[in-house]
Every structure is written in C-alpha cells, then in structure tokens.
Amino acid sequence: MGDGDGQDTLRAEQSADEIADSVVDAAREVFGDDLWERRLAELLAFLRRRITGAYEVDDFGFDVEFTERFLLNALRPLAEKWFRIDVRGAENIPSVGGALVVSNHSGTVPVDGLMTALVVHDHADRFLRMLGADLVFRLPFIGELARKGGATLASTEDAERLLSADELVGVWPEGYKGIGKPFSERYRLQRFGRGGFVSAALRTGVPIVPCSVVGAEEIFPLVGNITSLARLLRVPYIPVTPFFPWLGVLGMVPLPSKWLIEFGKPLRTDSYPAGSADDAMLVRNVTDQVRETIQQTLHSLLLYREGVFS
Amino acid sequence: MGRVVLVTGVGRDFGGRFASRIAKDPVVDRVIGVDVVPSRADLGDVHFVRADIRHPVIGKVIADDKVDTVVHLGVIATTSSAGRRASMREVSVVGSMQLLAACQQAASVERLIVKSSARVYGSSPSDPAKFSEDMSPRRIPSSGLGKASVEVEGYVRGFARRRPDVRVTLLRFANLIGPQVDTMMARYLELPIVPTVLGFDPRLQFCHDEDALDALHHSSLADVPGSFNVAGDHVLTLAQAVRRLGRPHIGVPPLALGTLGSLIPQLRQADLSAEQILFLTYGRGLDTTAMRQNLGFEPKFTTPEAFGDFAARSRPGAMHPERVAELERQLATLIAKGRIYGRR
C-alpha cells in the first residue's frame, strides 16, 4: 500500500512538473524571455481579482481594470492597423478637470465613439466617459460592456454629475440622425439636438472641446433602411449597406477607411454669468458655434486626406 | 415628558430590533410595538400589542397612549415568511391606509416616520445613474412590491397634506444587507448557483441593516420632514457581489428566468418576479446627498463594506475568494518550480 502511494505521489509530481514546464514555455513565448515571470504573476493576480470580484466599479458601473486590460486592448489593433487613425490636437484635451468633448457622429454603428475614447486614452491619458442613447443600455451584452467601459445614459443628470466630478465626458449630439444618415449625406452635420450638452457645460462651467472625426462615414456606407423591421424591433433603423445584410456576418466587417481625428481649441464656458444655462438664446449660439467649428474642421480634414482608403 | 413611540411590524426581526433599540433611548418614555404575530425575540421594555393595523383598534391604541411618534415599519414585507405575494401587498397597502387614517384622527401624533423602499424608482434602461429624491421613475413599477410602495407613498403624501402639523419623514432604503438580514434578495444571492439575466450586470446598492436601524432611530428623534434615500456609498455589480460570495453565476434569458423562478422550489424563495427581474437587468443607483446634508445622517458602512459583512457570515460558495487565492499560490509555486527546471 505504502509503495503504491509513493508511486502515485511520484507520478503526480512528475505530471505537475510537466505542467509547470509547459506553462513556463508558453509564458516565455507570449511575454518574452525577461519579463515572463512578472507578467505571468500579474496575469494570475488579475484573473484572481476578476474571479473573486475584488475589483472596483464607480457609481456609473465604470470598471477601470476591465476597460484598460480588455476593452481598450481589443480596440487598439482596429484603430492602429485597420483604420490607421491620425490624431491631431490631442494637446487641446485638458489634462485635468471636467471637460466636454463634442463630436460628429457617423458610421451606422457607433464605432467612432469607441475610437475617440481609445484615442483620448492613448494620447491624453484620460478616460472618455461616453454618453449613449437608452437603446445602448437596453441591449444585452452591449449595455453591460458600455457601462463597464465608462458610458452612461445621455441625460442632463448624468452629464452634470460626471462633469462636476471632473470627468472628461463625450457627447455625440447628432444622435441617431447623424449615425444613421445615408451615405450621400456624409460629412454633413445634422441638427445638434436641443443643445442640452451646452446647458450642462454652462451649468458646470467646463470647457467644450470640439472633435471632428473623418473616416467613420465610410466604414458602413448606409444606402437603405428596413423601416418596417426597425419599427418591429424598436430600433431607430436596420441598416442596408452594399455588403449588409447580403453577405451576412462578412458584411459586418467595417471597410478599412483612413481615419483622422482632430480635437479643436477648447471653448471656455466659465466666463458666462450664472444662470446662462437657462438662457435659450445663448445656449443656441454656443451650440451653433461648436457645430460650425466641427463642420469647418471636417471640410479641411477632408481636403487634407488624400483618399478614402489611404 | 418623554416620547411615546408606536412601532408597526415588530413581529419581524427588523421591526423587533428597532423597537427594543429605541426603547433604550433616554428621551423615549414608552414604546408600543404592534403586529399581528408576536416577535420571536425578546423585546425588552417594548409594550407589545397584538393587533392588525388594518383594524380600527389601532386608532384606540394611539389615542389611549397619547402616541406622539409613529414609526411605520410594516409597510412592505420583504421576507418570504410573511405569506403569499398577493396577501403581502394587501397587508402593505390596506394596512398603511388604515394606520394613516388612525393617525389623522389622533391629535397627539406629531411625527410619522415611514420605511419605504428604493423600489419606488423602478428599473429601466432610461434611468439616470443615480436617482435623487425629486426624480420620478422613468417607468412606474406596475406590479409587485414596487407598486405597493408607490401606492403607500401616495397615501403618505395625502396624509401629509391633510395633517400639515405632522412632520412626515419618508426613508427610501436600498436593499438591506448584513449578517442578520434574511430578505429574498439575500436568499437569491446565496443560491448555490446564481441565475442572472443574460447579458446584463446591474449596479446594486446596499444599506447595512445596522445603518438602517440607525437612520430610523435618527429620523424618529431628529424632526426632519421630507423624503430621503438611504444607502451606503458606491455600488457593486451583481456579478461582483456574487463573485465576492464565491458563488458561480449563469446568465439566463429574462423570460426563462421568470419561468425558472416559478418552477424550481429553491428559486421561489428568492423572488424572481417580473419587477425583480427588471431590477436584476438594469439595477439602480441612489443619490444620498440629501441624506447627508438635510437629514444629517451618515451611514457607517459603504455598499461594499456592508456586503462584505454579509459575505463574512454567509456560507462560503464553491469558488470562495480564499480557495481561489490558494489556487493562485499553488500555480505560483508550480511556476517557480518550472523556472528552476527551465534554468537547469
């Protein structure tokens, strides 16, 4: 009996050694010869934290660890290899304090928002807290990822709460009108809602950073809309592109257009007198000013870009 | 002369604890505890009156003892032992109506404290990240205990209009949690495998039951009228909470979750009603600025701390944190071994 036990132990130890060897080999392969040990320990600790829930989320459900280690890493190849994003004016993003990034919206699927968030993180070292439509939070998986990625509902309450907490907030005031506009209307800015974002900025006194994205218009050229199905599914539109739904999943691959993202000079809002947020005339003027800036930047970026794919 | 306090719902653990606790306060002369069932715990100095608040006798109790403070804890029965769902609502709403009617008749009543719930805000994808007291629900709860809470709050507001001399304090608690808490939510979280809504990870906020008792005690003596959210700071997501308990969780489509809830006996204890499924889908956050600034109450526990206190007494699950940490240590040893072999 004792002998058998001894042999079993020996065998178990041998197989444990084999496993250890293969783990180490794999880690060397992935992390390189020098760093593998520390990286592997980090990975283990990360996995343990995720499995035991020992991570933190903020009041909006933003999970920094998940966003940095998973979401942004997943998006980075898309931004760098596929869309080859050129970033200009990243120094215009304030390094501290609340600020509102206002951007044009396009591309049928809100990829432009995700790319802007990645660019802001990589170039300005800040997290962009995106404001999304309630549809985003109604959808399974997408809603969960959105909250973990730092997004929250586009509402005055949430916008002001984030801005007062010195966060960098991203809004796309064109909403569905921008993202779901036909390809023929590309780079033509739609109406900027009711200017709720300007009121939020005025009330919290944060600067507005205009952001112009060129390239997202071409990823899924929208040529039609299955209105009846959209109404049935309670979504704003069901896109028809030259490739979708004809090619099925393959049609969901975005076209590799060349992207340019430019952040403009911040527009200060703290010089206006108190109560300006309720001044409809002023809110409209500021809204138009931001819209004009973005439209003009779009035009000059389009001139600068040599071709859609180069 | 000290205060005379009437507490409803003392038959349940929470109500009983509150009654015996406020009875110890020096400014309180006399505490009358009311419920249809006697408390299992020893209530100490509390004078227990076995009565149904739906019955007019309650008015006589208030008048005879010259009650000046009514603390209504019997609003919502969240423990499953309180009987079937439909009867729970009936007790909640009709009972509250009768109690308020009795209070309206009684000239001695000076203040009313009602234990309500954050359920009144409902849960929907169009909700703001945090509800403050002046916000109305995006989707009014149309069923279950949420609807009952909304109705009771409606009657309370009506009472406040009719008796402007009475200071009415309405406390909207987040889900209570703690080592002694046995709510349906606690039972749900303690299932061996926790079924969640597929594709959603709602934000939850908790209030430690000690903090809830403190808040009620504070409000009973502080004379601050108004509605207040009461919850610990910060949020936990459902997945995070379940993982901290070391329990595995699986995503189930919402429709199947409802069916499952009525089919499996263990899940029937865990409340998977339509209202609760909405809550488990979209979650809810509470703004507690007014609780601090106006009510002047500061909870001792944050949401994660309150939950940690609950997790500490809870039976460790299959993947409890210590076991996972042990696994990590073993793997690290294995790797260290591999390093030695690798160098050889």
Side-chain angles (χ1 to χ4, degrees):
Chain A
M1 279 302 276
D3 250 20
D5 273 358
Q7 270 178 7
D8 277 355
T9 326
L10 200 66
R11 218 170 290 145
E13 261 176 24
Q14 272 173 353
S15 61
D17 286 345
E18 275 165 30
I19 294 170
D21 275 351
S22 54
V23 167
V24 167
D25 283 347
R28 277 223 174 102
E29 199 73 16
V30 178
F31 301 127
D33 258 345
D34 314 323
L35 287 171
W36 67 270
E37 219 181 318
R38 213 183 66 216
R39 289 283 180 81
L40 195 60
E42 271 173 22
L43 182 70
L44 282 179
F46 170 69
L47 288 176
R48 182 196 20 93
R49 281 197 301 276
R50 299 313 297 189
I51 292 171
T52 58
Y55 50 91
E56 281 178 19
V57 300
D58 79 355
D59 288 350
F60 298 84
F62 177 39
D63 185 336
V64 177
E65 192 177 57
F66 178 83
T67 304
E68 277 201 312
R69 296 199 71 135
F70 182 75
L71 276 183
L72 294 178
N73 280 343
L75 292 173
R76 202 163 283 121
L78 194 63
E80 288 172 358
K81 302 272 153 49
W82 197 255
F83 298 132
R84 296 145 290 144
I85 302 180
D86 272 350
V87 182
R88 308 161 120 213
E91 69 281 358
N92 289 324
I93 304 167
S95 54
V96 285
L100 189 67
V101 175
V102 181
S103 175
N104 61 315
H105 210 8
S106 59
T108 312
V109 197
V111 182
D112 53 351
L114 299 176
M115 291 298 133
T116 310
L118 176 77
V119 159
V120 165
H121 176 263
D122 289 358
H123 291 258
D125 200 24
R126 291 195 70 174
F127 291 105
L128 185 68
R129 308 298 301 268
M130 297 162 280
L131 299 185
D134 62 348
L135 173 67
V136 172
F137 303 101
R138 210 169 73 203
L139 298 172
F141 302 106
I142 292 174
E144 182 185 342
L145 285 178
R147 279 227 174 269
K148 291 207 162 125
T152 192
L153 185 77
S155 63
T156 326
E157 294 98 347
D158 285 14
E160 284 173 19
R161 198 177 284 283
L162 281 167
L163 290 171
S164 324
D166 288 340
E167 297 281 356
L168 186 67
V169 177
V171 285
W172 290 263
E174 292 172 275
Y176 298 129
K177 300 186 297 297
I179 193 170
K181 65 181 178 294
F183 189 62
S184 55
E185 287 179 34
R186 60 190 178 278
Y187 299 115
R188 238 176 275 162
L189 280 187
Q190 304 296 302
R191 197 167 63 85
F192 262 21
R194 280 161 291 176
F197 71 96
V198 171
S199 306
L202 285 169
R203 207 161 281 139
T204 48
V206 302
I208 297 174
V209 181
C211 169
S212 314
V213 180
V214 159
E217 294 275 16
E218 290 92 3
I219 59 170
F220 297 112
L222 190 90
V223 290
N225 174 11
I226 313 172
T227 330
S228 47
L229 186 62
R231 209 168 296 146
L232 193 72
L233 293 175
R234 294 195 301 158
V235 291
Y237 54 87
I238 297 282
V240 177
T241 76
F243 310 102
F244 184 85
W246 329 116
L247 296 183
V249 178
L250 210 61
M252 285 152 119
V253 176
L255 295 180
S257 51
K258 168 76 183 172
W259 283 38
L260 302 166
I261 298 184
E262 178 166 334
F263 297 94
K265 286 258 170 293
L267 189 84
R268 286 182 58 176
T269 62
D270 51 357
S271 51
Y272 295 104
S276 302
D278 302 316
D279 182 346
M281 213 39 204
L282 177 76
V283 169
R284 231 185 78 188
N285 282 341
V286 178
T287 312
D288 286 347
Q289 197 183 335
V290 176
R291 193 172 172 277
E292 264 320 294
T293 313
I294 296 174
Q295 182 70 74
Q296 279 173 14
T297 317
L298 283 176
H299 285 318
S300 59
L301 284 175
L302 279 169
L303 286 175
Y304 172 82
R305 187 171 71 158
E306 285 156 9
V308 172
F309 299 108
S310 60
Chain B
M1 215 188 86
R3 298 274 189 86
V4 182
V5 182
L6 181 120
V7 183
T8 68
V10 292
R12 265 175 268 125
D13 176 60
F14 185 82
R17 276 163 70 197
F18 174 74
S20 48
R21 191 190 144 119
I22 197 147
K24 292 197 190 87
D25 197 296
V27 305
V28 175
D29 254 8
R30 189 171 155 77
V31 175
I32 303 148
V34 184
D35 211 330
V36 280
V37 286
S39 171
R40 267 165 293 176
D42 175 28
L43 290 186
D45 297 336
V46 178
H47 175 67
F48 179 73
V49 176
R50 185 168 189 158
D52 189 336
I53 51 170
R54 286 175 292 174
H55 197 273
V57 74
I58 197 79
K60 210 172 142 353
V61 174
I62 293 174
D64 286 356
D65 282 289
K66 297 209 165 39
V67 170
D68 55 57
T69 306
V70 175
V71 183
H72 185 26
L73 304 182
V75 177
I76 297 294
T78 39
T79 47
S80 50
S81 59
R84 285 207 352 270
R85 191 157 278 282
S87 73
M88 268 153 66
R89 251 194 69 195
E90 146 91 14
V91 171
S92 306
V93 178
V94 179
S96 301
M97 259 174 92
Q98 295 296 341
L99 178 73
L100 292 170
C103 291
Q104 201 180 319
Q105 300 297 321
S108 61
V109 175
E110 288 166 8
R111 58 192 77 73
L112 169 72
I113 292 91
V114 180
K115 174 178 177 264
S116 185
S117 154
R119 287 170 190 270
V120 296
Y121 297 116
S123 287
S124 91
S126 335
D127 287 351
K130 282 176 162 193
F131 277 103
S132 55
E133 290 80 355
D134 54 348
M135 289 179 193
S136 48
R138 295 301 193 265
R139 235 180 258 163
I140 297 167
S142 57
S143 67
L145 299 170
K147 190 181 179 192
S149 298
V150 170
E151 286 173 7
V152 170
E153 284 205 1
Y155 293 127
V156 172
R157 271 189 289 275
F159 170 81
R161 270 196 302 276
R162 285 188 291 273
R163 278 289 300 271
D165 57 315
V166 176
R167 284 162 317 267
V168 179
T169 310
L170 201 66
L171 301 181
R172 292 174 183 152
F173 288 98
N175 288 78
L176 295 192
I177 206 89
Q180 300 189 52
V181 168
D182 183 26
T183 58
M184 288 200 273
M185 184 69 183
R187 288 183 194 187
Y188 166 76
L189 291 166
E190 289 199 289
L191 290 168
I193 298 173
V194 181
T196 61
V197 180
L198 184 68
F200 290 95
D201 192 9
R203 291 166 304 129
L204 311 176
Q205 219 170 338
F206 293 107
C207 176
H208 198 285
D209 57 337
E210 291 291 335
D211 278 334
L213 292 171
D214 272 349
L216 284 164
H217 193 150
H218 172 86
S219 314
S220 305
L221 306 176
D223 275 343
V224 187
S227 305
F228 302 98
N229 294 334
V230 183
D233 280 347
H234 312 308
V235 300
L236 285 177
T237 71
L238 177 60
Q240 215 180 351
V242 172
R243 285 171 190 171
R244 285 182 183 199
L245 287 174
R247 281 163 170 72
H249 55 97
I250 47 165
V252 178
L255 284 174
L257 195 59
T259 321
L260 219 65
S262 55
L263 284 180
I264 301 174
Q266 285 90 333
L267 294 185
R268 243 176 271 156
Q269 299 281 305
D271 181 27
L272 290 173
S273 59
E275 182 205 7
Q276 181 70 1
I277 289 174
L278 276 180
F279 177 58
L280 294 176
T281 308
Y282 304 114
R284 187 187 304 130
L286 298 175
D287 185 320
T288 49
T289 314
M291 171 189 83
R292 289 211 164 76
Q293 290 179 358
N294 305 352
L295 185 64
F297 176 72
E298 178 77 34
K300 286 193 199 76
F301 294 84
T302 65
T303 288
E305 283 166 3
F307 194 77
D309 204 21
F310 167 71
R313 88 84 224 242
S314 158
R315 197 162 30 81
M319 307 192 312
H320 63 93
E322 274 156 40
R323 196 184 277 183
V324 176
E326 176 55 33
L327 191 72
E328 190 200 357
R329 271 194 295 280
Q330 280 177 6
L331 272 172
T333 329
L334 209 64
I335 292 158
K337 243 186 204 171
R339 190 190 58 204
I340 298 162
Y341 278 87
R343 283 204 182 132
R344 194 180 53 189

